Amino acid sequence: MKFTKLMSEPGEIEIVYGENRFLWAHGNDATLAYHGNNRAAFILDLAAVGVAIGEEGATNPTDPPVEVEDNRGNVPNAIQGLGGGQDCTVNFCENDLASGFLQKYKINVPEGQNAANCEGCSITMELIFEGEAWLSIAFSEDGKMIGSEAVIGIPGSIPQKYMLGGYDVSVIQLMPEEQQTL
C-alpha cells in the first residue's frame, strides 16, 4: 500500500516535522476484521534524521528506550533507531514495523519551503507486507486507537482514510468524500 498525504489538513490530526504518534495494524487476510495481536504504537520523529521509536527495527542500541503506550494502554519496550542517518526529505527512510512488515516514508517539501516551517508539505508512505492482508497506519494524538485517523489499504482497492471510533470493526468509519485527499 502506498499513498501521499498532506501533513496538515483542516479537521484532521496533523503530522508534524517533529515527534508523531503512529499506530500500525494488519489483518490475516484481505477482509477488514479484528487484527488480533498484529498491531502496535510507535513514535516517529520526522525532524530527527532517520530516527524512530518503536517496538521493532532497532539499529542504534545506545539510544535510551522511551515508553510509549500501545492502543490498549499497555506500555511496550520501545526501541529507537533506524534510517541509517538518511535525510528523509531526500530519500525514503525505512522502519521495520514487525517481521515481514516494512514502512517506507519520505517528507515531500515544496520548492521554496523548508520541512521545519512548511506550507503544503506532504508525506509519502509505503507499507510492504509479506503476504496478502489489509494494512493500516494511523495518526494519533495520544498513541491510542480510539480517536485516531487511519489510512487503510485493502487488497484490490485504493487506500482510504478512516476514523477509528473503537475496537470493533463496526465503528471504523470511512471519512467523508471531501476528506479523501490521498
Side-chain angles (χ1 to χ4, degrees), residues 24-137:
W24 65 262
H26 67 78
N28 293 316
D29 57 35
T31 303
L32 186 59
Y34 180 62
H35 49 61
N37 289 327
N38 301 324
R39 52 92 174 134
F42 66 100
I43 293 175
L44 184 63
D45 187 341
L46 296 174
V49 176
V51 175
I53 304 166
E55 290 187 324
E56 300 204 19
T59 59
N60 189 356
T62 62
D63 289 337
V66 175
E67 291 187 349
V68 180
E69 284 188 11
D70 71 10
N71 58 5
R72 297 224 187 248
N74 301 317
V75 180
N77 293 326
I79 302 169
Q80 290 187 357
L82 72 137
Q86 290 189 61
D87 181 347
C88 301
T89 65
V90 176
N91 300 301
F92 275 87
C93 292
E94 296 184 352
N95 183 10
D96 286 315
L97 298 172
S99 179
F101 194 22
L102 175 70
Q103 174 195 34
K104 292 183 174 184
Y105 60 94
K106 180 179 178 286
I107 301 168
N108 309 301
V109 181
E111 193 171 320
Q113 297 283 321
N114 66 59
N117 213 359
C118 185
E119 295 248 352
C121 278
S122 63
I123 187 164
T124 299
M125 288 192 185
E126 182 175 10
L127 301 179
I128 301 167
F129 183 72
E130 293 177 11
E132 184 170 305
W134 63 265
L135 307 175
S136 141
I137 191 84

Side-chain angles (χ1 to χ4, degrees), residues 127-173:
L127 301 179
I128 301 167
F129 183 72
E130 293 177 11
E132 184 170 305
W134 63 265
L135 307 175
S136 141
I137 191 84
F139 318 106
S140 176
E141 294 178 329
D142 60 7
K144 297 181 181 179
M145 181 180 169
I146 296 173
S148 295
E149 300 165 358
V151 174
I152 300 176
I154 299 170
S157 64
I158 61 169
Q160 292 185 293
K161 294 197 257 179
Y162 293 78
M163 289 294 306
L164 305 181
Y167 299 121
D168 190 78
V169 175
S170 67
V171 291
I172 308 301
Q173 300 294 316

Side-chain angles (χ1 to χ4, degrees), residues 9 12 158 160-161 174-182:
E9 297 185 76
E12 295 185 22
I158 61 169
Q160 292 185 293
K161 294 197 257 179
L174 187 64
M175 286 182 156
E177 186 64 34
E178 61 271 11
Q179 289 181 279
Q180 296 297 333
T181 56
L182 303 176

